[in-house]
Amino acid sequence: MFIVGLTGGIATGKTTVADIFKENGIPVIDADIIARKVVEPGRKAWYGLKRAFGSEIFYENGELNRDALGDIIFNNAANRRKLNEITHPEIYKEIVWSTIKCFFRGHQFVVMDLPLLFETAYMLEYIYKVIVVTCEEDLQLQRLMERSGISEQKAKQRIAAQMSLDSKCEKADFVVENSGSFVDTREQVSRIIDNLRSSKHHWKIRLIVGLLSSGFLSILTLIGFVFLR
């Protein structure tokens, strides 16, 4: 099994692209969903955020107020780093376990929806191919304002906090231009899926894992034989 990274800018349409992969029976590991899970009340990252940013970023029931946290981090690079230091280790633990489950279920590849793939660079060395979802800048701004109900100024701040779309596209193996119709986006993604399914890279990974597993079992057998003599 190999890993495909799915990224892009905020409000460019990564979820739409991820849903097309799911419709084709391809597992998608969504870092945003995992990120929401790891900050649930009582979790390790929840306590870390409370110590770092105080009680004002939580609702009365203990749930994280994402808008309040967003106001703190999106215009402050130091606070963003602090947030990442608290949440990313927990997020990546969940991602690793989800990936292992997909491997043992026999999937050829898995898609990881990682909004900050290039910004953090943490997972890049494990990823075989990268897909970047992009769209026109004015459309991105409009989508973000409508989706989040925030002002134009705040929307621009959140977009500016990420690497530019042009820079991400330059680093991509595949680019999905999501400014047009859903039909057009689906056609682009379908071509990418055909390309990925034609790859034999997953057999190399399985062969390496198989050899390592065989070697490990051989060592255990030898140790057992020595101690039983």
Side-chain angles (χ1 to χ4, degrees):
M1 188 186 77
F2 57 86
I3 301 171
V4 178
L6 174 64
T7 191
I10 187 172
T12 56
K14 294 185 300 299
T15 300
T16 298
V17 172
D19 286 343
I20 297 172
F21 276 100
K22 292 176 186 176
E23 290 170 6
N24 283 271
I26 299 162
V28 176
I29 299 172
D30 190 327
D32 277 344
I33 292 176
I34 292 174
R36 287 193 287 271
K37 180 180 177 182
V38 302
V39 296
E40 290 174 351
R43 298 287 296 264
K44 182 178 179 180
W46 183 88
Y47 285 110
L49 292 177
K50 192 169 186 178
R51 286 192 297 269
F53 301 111
S55 300
E56 59 269 21
I57 64 168
F58 298 98
Y59 293 110
E60 289 184 4
N61 64 0
E63 291 184 3
L64 181 65
N65 183 335
R66 294 181 176 277
D67 289 334
L69 179 61
D71 290 340
I72 293 173
I73 68 167
F74 279 111
N75 60 356
N76 188 307
N79 283 340
R80 286 200 302 276
R81 285 194 297 272
K82 192 182 298 184
L83 170 68
N84 292 341
E85 288 169 0
I86 294 168
T87 59
H88 283 185
E90 301 305 307
I91 291 170
Y92 289 124
K93 285 179 189 176
E94 296 283 345
I95 286 175
V96 167
W97 279 114
S98 297
T99 305
I100 291 171
K101 290 176 185 177
C102 290
F103 176 83
F104 284 107
R105 287 170 184 161
H107 290 285
Q108 180 188 4
F109 63 93
V110 62
V111 173
M112 286 189 184
D113 186 344
L114 300 165
L116 299 179
L117 173 62
F118 292 122
E119 285 87 345
T120 64
Y122 186 82
M123 292 294 298
L124 276 174
E125 62 180 304
Y126 307 107
I127 289 175
Y128 177 56
K129 297 290 184 181
V130 175
I131 303 167
V132 169
V133 184
T134 187
C135 68
E136 296 173 0
E137 291 182 6
D138 58 341
L139 183 58
Q140 180 188 18
L141 182 63
Q142 178 186 340
R143 286 173 177 172
L144 181 55
M145 291 168 62
E146 292 176 353
R147 185 184 76 182
S148 302
I150 58 177
S151 67
E152 182 176 345
Q153 180 183 0
K154 284 188 176 181
K156 287 180 176 179
Q157 285 178 344
R158 297 190 180 191
I159 291 171
Q162 296 184 349
M163 182 186 294
S164 73
L165 287 174
D166 287 342
S167 297
K168 290 185 177 184
C169 288
E170 289 174 2
K171 298 174 181 290
D173 297 292
F174 305 101
V175 174
V176 177
E177 220 304 326
N178 192 34
S179 299
S181 67
F182 176 72
V183 172
D184 180 52
T185 298
R186 182 191 289 276
E187 288 176 352
Q188 293 179 67
V189 177
S190 295
R191 288 194 293 270
I192 294 172
I193 290 173
D194 290 342
N195 185 295
L196 294 170
R197 281 178 169 164
S198 68
S199 172
K200 305 299 181 186
H201 187 70
H202 64 294
W203 289 116
K204 298 177 184 178
I205 303 297
R206 290 192 177 275
L207 177 61
I208 292 170
V209 172
L211 291 173
L212 290 173
S213 299
S214 298
F216 181 67
L217 289 173
S218 298
I219 292 171
L220 288 179
T221 302
L222 179 60
I223 292 172
F225 176 76
V226 170
F227 277 98
L228 288 172
R229 288 184 64 185

